[in-house]
């Protein structure tokens, strides 16, 4: 075979299409190999995406590949296609996406110890101990049906596994994997989870079920070396099961036979900075490229996903009841705190319910989506408020550390002993966060063992795992926390869930806020009564008569999702339109808005030129959280009736935006989560 003389190399540079380099005679690269090339005065690691025998580049300007990095197999054609798709879809250069998708080790110029490091990465994983051989459960009919459907699937097959909380979705995933392994013993499975904190429990469950199948996890809590190790093990087929957060979607698994996206509605599948990809959406694309089944599981599927079930793009698998015999869903009562005699913000109903549950020696979860002691500190004499000097928001009072902390930019100072404006010494915390509720609980139930789980208590490595282990071991009576306590955990003895302060989410101007509140409520309700204890849920809210609570009382996702879809359809909003957001920030909001006005003009002209009537561009506006870390931010919303129309517009518009040449920093978010 004649060797090619030129290689096209993708590089991590915005807007830069892959560049052509000469191949030295001693090298025989493959498509998918990494290499080091000169770029201006720098040397960069690039990815070879094509080979050819000729080039139109002037021989004097041709540059040569400096070093070929082919000690590992080249990335697969499918991996290249996936990253290329993501690049086109999210408006980045192919190199930006593909290089960024590699673990740091593989995108850094090799140092002197490169070979030894590679060798170390290839060392086998230490055997982990299996807790106890898991007994074989008999699947119920619905579970059985779900497993069989996927077992019979041919080629690309997208499924939504919609199962009420505690309906045994995890068991279904495990059996789906099992039947895949029976058919293809060397198959690989990619199992995506929204949060690192959910991986230990799940990993243990998978390990117990498949003691012989090598597995690894991949998430941002791992050191660079560990990430590279997992990535390489997946690539070289030394592991068969990869459990990971969104970044794991960019693993390259040659024998991939099944993808599971657990809790598919979770926001953390969408990257919030850099390349703003959705791992869930890319999972669908990957399954299509690999021609395999993909399972999106949730008790509360996102409306995007639900509408695709409704229009027949995805197949629906339903689990309508709890899996453990005798287990039922909690009964709901909504208590209006208005005109009630509150004790430290708690209604008598909540207090009684907690006391009763503690008497029965069962566990309580208190869910409050706000960490810290109080969201704001105020001076009652002059009206001073604890504003963050860098953001258009308040710094949160953290009593135990004696600090004011901005949850948006991280700014913090020791808390004032007197008002910085008027000198008054009696500063007052307003509202309550998890710390304050914890303090209240300690005062009201001094005998109870109370544990708070939120981002503040779980920063140390393994802290979250240890905390949840304590709950599982029955060492905790009351668990108070943020969303972290609502997700995924299979608690045995929780029989009461109390929800405080959900109202902020119900009156928000963000149109997705209510959808999220519903998902939160359903999920947290789902932590109670999983093992047959009669369970209760008490929500303090002023909006007890809303549709959301009627649906929650029945645990009727379908009813509420259909209701929301109807509203969205009437409003012609997502998922009935596609959106993209152009965001600009600058020290001065005026300049950010000015740039967006130019962008609007360019875009409007382009639409006219394209005779594209499926796309609408709205006027630029300051963002809801206008100032963040001293940057003033504005946004421009684009909506289109189809993804194709959107893609056609964005591609050209993006190029033209780059030509505007502004000092304003801007980014594009395709399918934004918040507008
Ligand atoms: N067929 C079955 N028979 C008995 N118990 C079962 C069966 N299937 C699952 N279970 C048990 O039911 C409990 C809940 O299952 P699992 O955690 O898989 O639910 P889930 O649907 O993932 O819940 P969630 O969405 O709330 O996280 C687990 O303890 C599991 O062992
Ligand atoms: Zn701030």
């Amino acid at each position: 075979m004649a060797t090619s003389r030129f290689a096209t190399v993708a590089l991590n540079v915005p807007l830069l299409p892959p560049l052509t380099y000469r191949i030295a005679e001693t090298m025989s690269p493959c498509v998918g190999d990494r290499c080091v090339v000169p770029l201006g005065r720098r040397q960069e690691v690039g990815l070879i995406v094509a080979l050819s025998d000729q080039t139109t580049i002037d021989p004097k300007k041709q540059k040569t590949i400096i070093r070929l990095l082919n000690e590992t197999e080249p990335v697969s054609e499918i991996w290249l296609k996936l990253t290329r798709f993501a690049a086109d879809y999210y408006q980045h250069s192919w190199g930006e996406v593909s290089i960024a998708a590699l673990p740091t080790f593989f995108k850094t110029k090799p140092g002197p110890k490169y070979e030894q490091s590679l060798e170390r990465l290839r060392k086998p994983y230490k055997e982990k101990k299996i807790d106890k051989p898991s007994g074989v459960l008999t699947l119920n009919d619905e579970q059985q049906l779900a497993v069989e459907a996927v077992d019979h699937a041919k080629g690309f097959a997208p499924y939504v596994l919609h199962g009420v909380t505690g309906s045994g979705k995890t068991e279904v995933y495990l059996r789906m994997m099992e039947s895949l392994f029976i058919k293809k013993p060397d198959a690989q499975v990619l199992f995506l989870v929204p949060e690192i904190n959910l991986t230990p429990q799940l990993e243990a469950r998978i390990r117990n079920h498949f003691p012989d199948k090598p597995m690894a996890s991949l998430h941002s809590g791992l050191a660079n070396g560990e990430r590279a190790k997992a990535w390489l093990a997946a690539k070289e087929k030394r592991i068969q099961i990869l459990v990971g957060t969104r970044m794991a979607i960019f693993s390259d698994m040659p024998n991939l036979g099944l993808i599971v996206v657990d809790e598919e509605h979770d926001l953390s599948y969408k990257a919030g900075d850099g390349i703003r990809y959705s791992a869930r959406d890319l999972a669908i694309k990957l399954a299509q490229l690999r021609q395999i089944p993909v399972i999106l599981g949730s008790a509360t599927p996102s409306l995007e996903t639900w509408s695709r079930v409704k229009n027949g793009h995805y197949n629906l698998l339903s689990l309508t009841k709890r899996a453990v015999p005798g287990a039922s869903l909690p009964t709901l009562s909504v208590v209006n705190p208005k005109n009630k005699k509150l004790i430290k913000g708690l209604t008598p109903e909540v207090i009684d319910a907690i006391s009763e549950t503690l008497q029965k020696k069962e566990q309580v979860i208190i869910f409050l989506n706000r960490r810290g002691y109080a969201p704001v500190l105020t001076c009652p004499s002059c009206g001073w408020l604890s504003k963050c000097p860098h953001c258009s928001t308040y710094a949160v009072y953290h009593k135990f550390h004696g600090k004011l902390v901005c949850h948006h930019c991280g700014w913090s100072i020791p808390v004032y002993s007197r008002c910085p404006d008027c000198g008054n010494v009696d500063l007052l915390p307003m509202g309550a966060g998890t710390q304050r509720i914890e303090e209240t609980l300690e005062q009201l139930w001094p005998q109870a063992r109370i544990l708070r789980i939120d981002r503040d208590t779980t920063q140390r490595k393994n802290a979250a795992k240890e905390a949840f282990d304590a709950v599982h071991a029955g060492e905790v009576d009351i668990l108070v926390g943020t969303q972290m306590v609502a997700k995924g955990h299979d608690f045995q003895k929780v029989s009461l869930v109390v929800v405080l302060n959900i109202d902020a989410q119900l009156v928000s101007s963000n149109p997705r806020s209510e959808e999220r509140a519903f998902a939160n409520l359903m999920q947290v309700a789902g932590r109670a009564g999983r093992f047959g204890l009669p369970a209760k849920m008490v929500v303090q809210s002023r909006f007890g008569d809303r549709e959301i609570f009627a649906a929650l009382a029945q645990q009727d996702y379908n009813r509420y999702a259909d209701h929301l879809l109807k509203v969205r359809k009437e409003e012609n909003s997502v998922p009935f339109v596609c959106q993209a957001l152009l965001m600009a920030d600058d020290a001065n909001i005026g300049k950010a808005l000015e740039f967006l006005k130019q962008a609007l003009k360019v875009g409007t002209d382009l639409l006219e030129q394209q005779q594209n009537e499926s796309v609408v561009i709205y006027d630029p506006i300051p963002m809801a959280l206008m100032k963040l870390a001293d940057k003033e931010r504005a946004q421009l919303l684009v909506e289109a009736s189809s993804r194709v129309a959107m893609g056609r517009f964005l591609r050209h518009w993006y190029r033209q935006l780059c030509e505007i040449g502004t000092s304003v920093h801007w980014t594009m978010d395709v399918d934004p989560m918040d507008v």
Side-chain angles (χ1 to χ4, degrees):
M1 193 179 71
T3 44
S4 309
R5 296 180 49 226
F6 299 98
T8 314
V9 179
L11 290 154
N12 189 357
V13 179
L15 280 180
L16 186 75
L19 300 179
T20 301
Y21 288 87
R22 199 175 16 219
I23 299 168
E25 298 210 340
T26 50
M27 293 176 189
S28 42
C30 301
V31 169
D33 275 337
R34 292 166 303 122
C35 59
V36 181
V37 294
L39 183 72
R41 293 201 192 144
R42 289 171 296 161
Q43 296 189 354
E44 292 275 324
V45 172
L47 196 64
I48 299 178
V49 295
L51 295 168
S52 66
D53 280 328
Q54 45 206 346
T55 177
T56 52
I57 298 172
D58 177 354
K60 279 191 233 121
K61 291 195 176 153
Q62 289 172 10
K63 293 190 177 157
T64 307
I65 292 177
I66 297 168
R67 177 169 174 185
L68 186 63
L69 299 171
N70 59 356
E71 298 80 0
T72 56
E73 289 274 303
V75 293
S76 67
E77 200 187 324
I78 284 180
W79 191 89
L80 288 172
K81 281 188 179 157
L82 180 72
T83 51
R84 175 146 201 192
F85 168 84
D88 289 345
Y89 189 82
Y90 295 107
Q91 307 301 324
H92 286 273
S93 75
W94 191 0
E96 275 181 290
V97 175
S98 58
I99 305 287
L102 294 170
T104 308
F105 179 83
F106 294 107
K107 61 185 168 201
T108 322
K109 238 176 64 188
K113 293 195 176 153
Y114 179 68
E115 268 85 14
Q116 287 104 300
S117 304
L118 254 184
E119 212 169 288
R120 233 189 358 262
L121 290 183
R122 286 191 169 118
K123 274 203 191 136
Y125 279 94
K126 271 196 232 115
E127 295 241 334
K128 292 232 172 117
K129 85 174 200 312
I130 313 291
D131 299 346
K132 50 180 187 290
S134 52
V136 183
L137 292 171
T138 312
L139 295 186
N140 63 37
D141 291 351
E142 290 178 332
Q143 287 176 313
Q144 188 66 35
L145 222 61
V147 174
E148 278 167 16
V150 175
D151 192 38
H152 294 144
K154 300 237 164 1
F156 169 58
Y159 288 95
V160 171
L161 178 63
H162 172 223
V164 297
T165 50
S167 57
K169 291 186 287 294
T170 314
E171 195 61 31
V172 169
Y173 305 139
L174 293 173
R175 300 298 179 89
M176 287 172 176
M177 291 161 70
E178 194 175 299
S179 46
L180 171 68
F181 290 139
I182 290 170
K183 281 188 288 191
K184 296 185 188 145
D186 59 352
Q188 291 179 301
V189 174
L190 175 60
F191 200 124
L192 296 182
V193 288
E195 252 205 66
I196 311 170
N197 293 320
L198 292 175
T199 52
Q201 211 195 5
L202 184 73
E203 254 190 271
R205 225 165 133 182
I206 298 179
R207 223 179 272 283
N208 287 350
H209 202 97
F210 302 105
D212 306 328
K213 297 288 179 193
M215 69 181 282
S217 59
L218 185 58
H219 53 74
S220 59
L222 299 177
N224 280 339
E226 293 173 285
R227 284 195 217 178
K229 185 181 167 90
W231 194 89
L232 192 62
K235 164 114 200 85
E236 297 182 339
K237 298 180 276 192
R238 278 176 281 112
I239 56 161
Q240 284 188 260
I241 304 169
L242 184 66
V243 179
T245 51
R246 66 169 181 256
M247 63 166 61
I249 191 64
F250 290 117
S251 57
D252 186 15
M253 302 169 80
N255 287 346
L256 191 63
L258 175 69
I259 308 173
V260 173
V261 184
D262 192 22
E263 313 289 2
E264 71 85 33
H265 64 280
D266 200 286
L267 297 182
S268 56
Y269 284 121
K270 176 87 157 88
D273 52 16
I275 295 147
R276 293 166 178 254
Y277 64 93
S278 155
R280 176 198 62 209
D281 295 353
L282 290 180
I284 299 286
K285 183 69 194 174
L286 178 58
Q288 213 169 32
L289 289 167
R290 290 244 173 234
Q291 288 293 305
I292 56 172
V294 51
I295 322 296
L296 307 183
S298 176
T300 51
S302 64
L303 286 184
E304 283 84 349
T305 296
W306 194 242
S307 73
R308 283 187 204 143
V309 168
K310 294 268 148 174
N311 63 23
H313 288 335
Y314 297 165
N315 307 300
L316 179 65
L317 306 167
S318 297
L319 308 178
T320 56
K321 44 189 183 293
R322 287 210 151 162
V324 172
S328 57
L329 289 152
T331 53
L332 173 72
S333 47
V334 183
V335 188
N336 189 343
K338 209 175 153 208
N339 306 330
K340 286 261 161 74
K341 197 160 164 278
L342 301 184
I343 300 180
K344 293 178 183 287
L346 302 181
T347 54
E349 285 87 345
V350 162
I351 292 179
D352 289 348
I354 294 175
S355 293
E356 262 170 43
T357 311
L358 293 178
Q359 251 160 29
K360 287 190 282 182
K361 305 246 175 292
E362 293 167 6
Q363 291 173 313
V364 180
I365 289 183
I366 314 252
F367 168 66
L368 172 67
N369 219 351
R370 192 194 263 164
R371 65 193 171 90
Y373 187 84
V376 54
L377 196 62
T378 166
C379 170
S381 94
C382 78
W384 170 87
L385 294 164
S386 58
K387 285 208 178 87
C388 170
H390 308 285
C391 304
S392 36
T393 183
Y394 298 108
V396 175
Y397 176 37
H398 285 246
K399 186 174 177 182
F400 306 118
H401 294 107
K403 278 183 177 166
L404 290 172
V405 183
C406 173
H407 287 183
H408 291 275
C409 73
W411 174 83
S412 85
I413 46 160
V415 69
Y416 300 104
S417 52
R418 39 181 73 231
C419 172
D421 281 0
C422 75
N424 170 24
V425 290
D426 290 320
L427 294 178
L428 213 64
M430 268 203 324
T434 46
Q435 292 176 9
R436 192 171 198 175
I437 297 297
E438 182 189 20
E439 189 183 81
T440 300
L441 297 169
E442 280 166 355
Q443 288 163 358
L444 293 177
W445 292 280
Q447 318 294 343
R449 296 164 301 172
I450 297 163
L451 179 70
R452 172 165 59 90
I453 299 189
D454 56 29
R455 257 202 292 148
D456 297 315
T457 64
T458 52
Q459 277 170 354
R460 186 174 47 80
K461 202 179 171 190
N462 289 331
K465 181 173 184 306
E466 286 163 20
F468 284 114
D469 283 351
V471 183
H472 289 298
E475 292 158 12
V476 173
D477 300 314
I478 307 180
L479 173 62
V480 49
T482 53
Q483 282 200 52
M484 285 181 75
V485 304
K487 291 182 187 178
H489 293 279
D490 197 21
F491 298 125
Q492 302 242 352
K493 286 194 67 185
V494 173
S495 66
L496 173 67
V497 167
V498 173
V499 178
L500 304 174
N501 210 319
I502 194 76
D503 285 358
Q505 263 181 289
L506 298 182
V507 293
S508 163
S509 59
N510 182 342
R512 298 211 202 208
S513 186
E514 205 175 322
E515 175 190 351
R516 285 174 199 163
F518 184 64
N520 282 163
L521 289 168
M522 291 280 279
Q523 293 291 341
V524 73
R527 297 317 111 203
R530 294 170 76 94
F531 285 83
L533 293 176
K536 269 205 250 182
M537 177 176 198
V538 185
V539 181
Q540 278 193 190
S541 168
R542 285 175 291 131
F543 304 110
D545 52 356
R546 290 233 191 144
E547 175 72 17
I548 190 169
F549 291 114
L552 181 68
Q554 309 288 323
Q555 287 275 315
D556 193 345
Y557 167 83
N558 300 40
R559 166 174 167 179
Y560 193 63
D562 291 348
H563 158 78
L564 280 185
L565 276 183
K566 196 165 144 258
V567 174
R568 299 278 180 94
K569 176 130 200 165
E570 280 160 15
E571 291 171 351
N572 195 28
S573 66
V574 174
F576 298 97
V577 290
C578 326
Q579 294 180 324
L581 204 59
L582 180 64
M583 299 174 289
D585 61 73
D586 193 89
N588 177 334
I589 187 76
K591 277 179 73 182
L593 283 166
E594 191 49 44
F595 166 74
L596 292 181
K597 276 187 201 139
Q598 278 175 285
L600 172 66
K601 169 89 178 61
V602 171
T604 318
D605 292 349
L606 177 63
L607 286 177
E608 212 161 286
Q609 224 177 6
Q610 286 186 338
Q611 298 187 330
N612 189 340
E613 288 175 3
S614 329
V615 175
V616 182
I617 315 178
Y618 293 90
D619 283 336
I621 50 167
M623 283 192 187
L625 181 70
M626 196 270 281
K627 188 164 141 196
L628 178 71
D630 290 325
K631 295 270 181 355
E632 301 194 340
R633 314 179 310 153
Q635 66 180 42
L636 184 67
L637 176 66
V638 182
E639 282 186 348
S641 54
S642 79
R643 287 188 175 211
V644 178
M646 181 67 102
R648 189 162 81 97
F649 169 69
L650 290 183
R651 226 173 353 267
H652 291 92
W653 191 42
Y654 195 91
R655 300 214 151 263
Q656 296 185 357
L657 291 179
C658 293
E659 283 160 16
I660 290 181
T662 170
S663 62
V664 170
H665 172 258
W666 58 272
T667 45
M668 178 111 54
D669 189 354
V670 181
D671 302 333
M673 298 313 288
D674 283 303
V675 299

